[in-house]
């Protein structure tokens, strides 16, 4: 029996940055991003899954207010990558210069090779990656804590 309902991907919608993505952009922890939201420095909106989504423009303004230099929007990275491809830049050179993953450089290279008449590229994979799932980081920390607990039995404080 065929299932008529499309699969419910856990990939977050592309309508803003997650708290961890903002923290990485600003070079701070997620708690600092939370405090910036409480102070009103950042004004996120909740998506359908209840995840706070931050407007990239707000993040750039917050970075400027904090004195963070070198913050680049996705379009800036793509533009610089395309310029490097035009000049014959290799994968390792682009990754080193732009500080992005090789997978992102390969994706940008495919875009650079395409024509405006070409259909948009299909997604490379079906499931969410570690950085795409907002709960992945939390699950990773839990798994590491659990593994550390197995490797080192907890020491209990003696009762008085």
């Amino acid at each position: 029996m065929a299932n008529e309902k499309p699969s419910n991907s856990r990939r977050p919608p592309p309508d803003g940055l997650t708290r961890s993505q903002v923290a990485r952009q600003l070079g701070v922890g997620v708690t600092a991003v939370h405090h910036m939201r409480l102070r009103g420095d950042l004004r996120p909106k909740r998506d359908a899954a209840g995840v706070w989504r931050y407007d990239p423009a707000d993040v750039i303004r917050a970075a400027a207010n904090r004195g963070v230099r070198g913050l680049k929007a996705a379009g800036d990275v793509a533009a610089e990558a395309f310029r490097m491809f035009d000049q014959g830049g290799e994968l390792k050179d682009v990754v080193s210069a732009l500080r992005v993953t090789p997978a992102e450089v390969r994706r940008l290279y495919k875009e650079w090779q395409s024509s405006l008449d070409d259909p948009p590229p299909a997604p490379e994979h079906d499931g969410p990656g570690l950085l795409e799932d907002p709960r992945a980081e939390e699950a990773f920390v839990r798994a590491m804590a659990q593994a550390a607990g197995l490797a080192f039995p907890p020491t209990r404080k003696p009762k008085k």
Side-chain angles (χ1 to χ4, degrees), residues 28-37 39 42 66:
V28 298
V30 291
T31 305
V33 174
H34 173 71
H35 290 296
M36 292 172 77
R37 178 183 63 83
R39 283 193 313 264
L42 294 170
R66 293 179 61 86

Side-chain angles (χ1 to χ4, degrees), residues 5 17 29 36 42 52 92 104 107 120 129 131 135 138 145 150 153:
K5 185 178 175 185
L17 301 171
M36 292 172 77
L42 294 170
W52 288 108
K92 64 181 180 175
E104 178 66 8
R107 186 190 68 74
L131 298 177
R135 294 174 297 262
E138 180 184 337
L150 295 174

Side-chain angles (χ1 to χ4, degrees), residues 41-108:
D41 297 339
L42 294 170
R43 295 175 303 282
K45 296 189 181 352
R46 285 198 187 260
D47 66 7
V51 176
W52 288 108
R53 294 289 172 175
Y54 295 81
D55 180 8
D58 279 348
V59 176
I60 290 172
R61 278 191 289 276
N65 291 340
R66 293 179 61 86
V68 176
R69 299 204 192 300
L71 185 66
K72 293 184 178 181
D76 295 334
V77 172
E80 186 63 20
F82 285 12
R83 186 189 64 73
M84 292 179 79
F85 297 147
D86 285 337
Q87 295 175 351
E90 294 292 327
L91 175 67
K92 64 181 180 175
D93 300 325
V94 178
V95 169
S96 297
L98 301 181
R99 321 261 314 142
V100 294
T101 64
E104 178 66 8
V105 173
R106 286 186 178 97
R107 186 190 68 74
L108 289 169

